[in-house]
Structure formats: C-alpha cells, structure tokens
Amino acid sequence: MEKTFLMVKPDGVQRNLTGEIVQRFEKKGFKLVGAKLMQISNELAEQHYGEHKERPFFGELVDFITSGPVFAMVWEGEGVILTAREMMGKTNPAEAAPGTIRGDFAVTVGKNIIHGSDSAESAEREIGLFFNESELVSYDKQD
Ligand code: CMP
C-alpha cells in the first residue's frame, strides 16, 4: 500500500497544531503507521532538503527545521501521497486554499506548518531518512 512521509514543522508543533493535523488525516481515512517527536540534526536537515541546496533560502530552511522539535509521521492509504499534498495546500500559504492546512493556519512560505513528500520516490527516500523499518507498524484498520 502507498505510503508518504509527513512532518509537522517546528512552527506547527509550537503552535499546538500537531493534534489538529493528525486528526485531519485520521478523519480522511488514512492509516498512521509511524510517528515520533524528534529534534532534527543539521546533517539530517541537509540530507532531507538536499534538492534545495543551491537555493538562496537553503540556510534559512535548515536553521528553521532544526530550531525545535518536529513531529515526523508515515501515513498509508490509496493515493495518500497526492491527497495529503492537496490537504496541505500550496507551498506558499498565501496561495493555499481555505480548508487546507496551510490555507487555514499559515501565512508565510518559510513557516508553512507541514512538509509532505511530493512523489513516490521522495516518499521512499524521506521515510528511509527518518524511520527505521522497526519503527513502522503493520496492522489492519477498520474503515
Ligand atoms: P517544504 O515542503 O518543506 O519543502 C521546501 C521548503 O522550502 C518549503 O516547504 C518551504 O517552507 C521552503 N521555501 C520555499 N520557498 C522559500 C522561500 N522563498 N523562502 C524560504 N523558504 C522557502
């Protein structure tokens, strides 16, 4: 079954939005198969955001994501990668539709509350970066 990596960023954790965000994906019907509150190291941040290394905001991105705890999650379900991106809203919260997580709770692109994998390849890479196989659970869930 398809899996994606989602992460409540330090701003979302600080603003007590973790529960609300988890609830949105639970209520949608996706299955949580891994989760942990963690402090990201500089090394992990640079690996995670490697594709943005040449961007002018790379330093800012790494500083921000390592500035406080994040809530890292793996969610499973049919079409979860794309649907989670739609539920998150556009990267720039100013353009994110009301009803989406960023549309409802964020204002600036740097502090946009949540990260989600943008493709099957990213999902596999990011899940592998943040979780060991033994930290993911497999279970049946009633609809
Ligand atoms: P995320 O989905 O975590 O992936 C890359 C992040 O870069 C993105 O969310 C934004 O938070 C961040 N980002 C994109 N553009 C800018 C920008 N112009 N300035 C600062 N951060 C940015």
Side-chain angles (χ1 to χ4, degrees):
M1 182 54 83
E2 187 172 311
K3 288 185 179 64
T4 196
F5 173 72
L6 301 180
M7 172 170 67
V8 182
K9 296 185 182 186
D11 52 336
V13 172
Q14 292 291 333
R15 290 177 53 202
N16 300 318
L17 291 171
T18 302
E20 160 87 30
I21 289 168
V22 168
Q23 195 171 59
R24 287 191 179 207
F25 294 105
E26 283 182 327
K27 284 186 172 172
K28 178 70 179 170
F30 291 130
K31 182 158 79 169
L32 185 61
V33 295
K36 57 184 170 183
L37 187 69
M38 60 187 285
Q39 176 73 48
I40 300 186
S41 66
N42 259 57
E43 189 189 1
L44 177 56
E46 286 175 10
Q47 280 181 290
H48 173 63
Y49 281 133
E51 65 180 296
H52 300 295
K53 212 170 175 60
E54 304 308 324
R55 305 269 191 114
F57 56 84
F58 183 69
E60 205 179 304
L61 196 55
V62 169
D63 285 350
F64 175 60
I65 209 71
T66 57
S67 67
V70 300
F71 192 67
M73 303 168 278
V74 178
W75 287 87
E76 189 177 282
E78 204 175 309
V80 68
I81 298 171
L82 187 61
T83 303
R85 297 272 299 181
E86 285 172 357
M87 291 169 66
M88 287 159 48
K90 292 201 172 157
T91 303
N92 183 353
E95 296 167 4
T100 65
I101 293 167
R102 289 165 174 158
D104 287 350
F105 302 123
V107 178
T108 61
V109 71
K111 294 187 174 174
N112 61 357
I113 304 281
I114 183 166
H115 168 85
S117 307
D118 62 5
S119 65
E121 295 71 34
S122 307
E124 195 181 341
R125 188 180 77 85
E126 293 170 358
I127 290 168
L129 270 178
F130 282 83
F131 287 89
N132 293 321
E133 198 62 48
S134 64
E135 292 175 306
L136 302 181
V137 293
S138 175
Y139 62 104
D140 288 329
K141 184 168 163 289
Q142 309 300 318
D143 287 330

